[in-house]
Amino acid sequence: MEKDKMSLDLFYRDPYVLDFLGLKDTYSEKDLENAILSELERFILEMGSDFAFMARQKHFVLDGKDYYMDLLFYHRSLRRLVLIELKLGAFEPEHKGQVELYLRWLKKNEMCEGEDDPIALILCAEKSQETVELMELDKGSIHVAQYLTKMPPKELLEEKLAIAIENAKEQLEQR
């Protein structure tokens, strides 16, 4: 049974191409969320199989303060909750703290018996790989990925594919 379980390395990828959302040059985080929900089936297909939608703007109160998680899914193969936090701009280090709080709350209040700890994906319009690596976000339960609202040029896709292949080779060599 354990051998059939999907690995996190296969789950996460970068970037996610969300051109099917039809977003124009200027949009808000709420517009992005609304577009994802109106195109939920296509969004789930872009993310991968085995997703189940659970909540939008999942609300909880902590120390008298209201918090809202953007999108909450359950991934059947991973057997865990998957939080997707949407950011319009570039990834900022403080996003990690926000999402860590959300994951700990989910673990304490929403996790069911037999499930693995929740994980998160911070989807940003831009990210600095150096910042992500320095914060060691590629090793834990929080990952950062860029989203693209337009299909990038072929050259950029080829470059990203070459980088992904090189990263995969490095990971294999380390095992």
Side-chain angles (χ1 to χ4, degrees):
M1 183 80 135
E2 196 65 31
K3 70 176 176 68
D4 294 332
K5 199 169 175 186
M6 181 179 200
S7 76
L8 287 178
D9 290 337
L10 292 174
F11 170 72
Y12 288 117
R13 60 192 168 104
D14 186 29
Y16 291 90
V17 181
L18 306 180
D19 60 333
F20 57 86
L21 296 179
L23 294 168
K24 304 300 178 211
D25 291 339
T26 305
Y27 54 88
S28 68
E29 201 170 287
K30 191 72 151 173
D31 294 335
L32 176 60
E33 186 178 304
N34 286 336
I36 286 171
L37 290 175
S38 72
E39 294 289 342
L40 192 55
E41 180 180 14
R42 290 175 74 177
F43 178 74
I44 287 174
L45 290 173
E46 175 64 17
M47 296 300 294
S49 62
D50 282 353
F51 266 92
F53 177 70
M54 298 207 42
R56 168 190 198 180
Q57 293 296 307
K58 175 76 174 166
H59 174 254
F60 69 96
V61 178
L62 183 64
D63 295 328
K65 186 174 178 187
D66 291 306
Y67 293 91
Y68 297 89
M69 298 177 222
D70 289 337
L71 300 170
L72 185 61
F73 293 88
Y74 183 79
H75 195 281
R76 291 179 54 221
S77 296
L78 293 174
R79 294 187 185 98
R80 58 179 70 204
L81 294 167
V82 178
L83 167 67
I84 298 180
E85 194 63 26
L86 305 170
K87 300 297 178 191
L88 285 184
F91 171 75
E92 299 292 340
E94 57 266 23
H95 297 155
K96 178 185 178 188
Q98 173 192 13
V99 170
E100 282 177 337
L101 175 68
Y102 293 172
L103 289 178
R104 288 190 178 113
W105 187 90
L106 286 170
K107 183 176 179 178
K108 180 179 178 185
N109 297 287
E110 296 287 325
M111 206 168 106
C112 293
E113 188 176 324
E115 292 179 351
D116 289 327
D117 288 354
I119 59 172
L121 176 64
I122 302 172
L123 275 179
C124 301
E126 300 172 36
K127 71 171 193 169
S128 161
Q129 192 59 37
E130 188 175 5
T131 301
V132 169
E133 288 172 9
L134 188 60
M135 296 183 76
E136 297 183 349
L137 289 171
D138 53 347
K139 297 178 181 164
S141 59
I142 301 172
H143 282 246
V144 178
Q146 183 179 7
Y147 65 84
L148 307 172
T149 57
K150 295 181 179 139
M151 185 60 82
K154 180 181 173 185
E155 297 77 25
L156 180 60
L157 286 175
E158 289 171 344
E159 178 185 323
K160 293 237 181 233
L161 180 59
I163 292 169
I165 290 170
E166 195 57 41
N167 289 341
K169 285 179 183 176
E170 287 175 17
Q171 287 179 355
L172 284 173
E173 289 171 2
Q174 291 175 1
R175 291 184 182 173

